[in-house]
Amino acid sequence: MIEVYIDGASAGNPGPSGAGIFIKGQGIHEKHAIPLGVISNHEAEFHALIKALEICLENNYKAVSFRTDSELVNRAVEKEFAKNKQFAPLLDNALLLSKRFELFFMKWIPSRENKVADELARKAIRANKLEE
């Protein structure tokens, strides 16, 4: 099973944002720092999930276990419902993508266990600022 650690971050809310994605397992070790433009922190968390799902699908990974320190994203995926209507389209996109895997799991983890994805998200914020 492939383990996928995701994190979204913003410098300001909204502000320059980034997605950090760390994928490991079965000889795989990938790091992605993806600038997201100016959005809110919660939006960045959802975009990190979507980008990670897309990367996993592109690489034809069949069984994935996602880890996030975002309680909002974890709860939304678990319940297949976003309380805030602003996030509903992002959640719908993520759920559609997640159903394309043979096995998909999402687990909440504390921030201290998500340091690599957090560092990548912060790196992406800095890359965003360079593009301005």
Side-chain angles (χ1 to χ4, degrees), residues 86-100:
Q86 177 185 357
F87 305 134
L90 296 170
L91 175 62
D92 290 345
N93 188 5
L95 292 172
L96 273 173
L97 293 170
S98 71
K99 301 215 183 313
R100 294 174 52 194

Side-chain angles (χ1 to χ4, degrees), residues 26-46:
Q26 300 176 349
I28 297 161
H29 189 88
E30 297 178 30
K31 292 180 179 180
H32 302 270
I34 303 168
L36 298 173
V38 176
I39 58 176
S40 74
N41 186 61
H42 289 313
E43 286 175 294
E45 296 279 7
F46 277 102

Side-chain angles (χ1 to χ4, degrees), residues 3-130:
E3 293 178 10
V4 184
Y5 294 79
I6 60 170
D7 198 16
S10 294
N13 204 17
S17 302
I21 302 163
F22 175 46
I23 303 171
K24 68 178 189 172
Q26 300 176 349
I28 297 161
H29 189 88
E30 297 178 30
K31 292 180 179 180
H32 302 270
I34 303 168
L36 298 173
V38 176
I39 58 176
S40 74
N41 186 61
H42 289 313
E43 286 175 294
E45 296 279 7
F46 277 102
H47 281 287
L49 170 60
I50 291 165
K51 297 282 188 192
L53 288 164
E54 291 171 345
I55 290 166
C56 290
L57 287 166
E58 287 167 13
N59 286 301
N60 207 27
Y61 302 149
K62 305 277 189 213
V64 293
S65 178
F66 274 59
R67 316 287 166 80
T68 179
D69 59 13
S70 170
E71 291 182 39
L72 175 78
V73 169
N74 186 63
R75 193 175 322 113
V77 170
E78 193 176 273
K79 295 182 186 239
E80 296 189 4
F81 177 76
K83 197 174 184 179
N84 184 328
K85 298 297 178 216
Q86 177 185 357
F87 305 134
L90 296 170
L91 175 62
D92 290 345
N93 188 5
L95 292 172
L96 273 173
L97 293 170
S98 71
K99 301 215 183 313
R100 294 174 52 194
F101 294 94
E102 288 176 14
L103 284 172
F104 170 82
F105 299 100
M106 172 78 84
K107 178 183 177 184
W108 178 84
I109 58 173
S111 296
R112 69 180 178 278
E113 293 178 24
N114 206 27
K115 287 187 190 303
V116 176
D118 177 67
E119 289 169 9
L120 291 165
R122 293 181 192 291
K123 179 179 177 184
I125 289 172
R126 291 190 298 277
N128 235 334
K129 290 180 177 178
L130 294 175

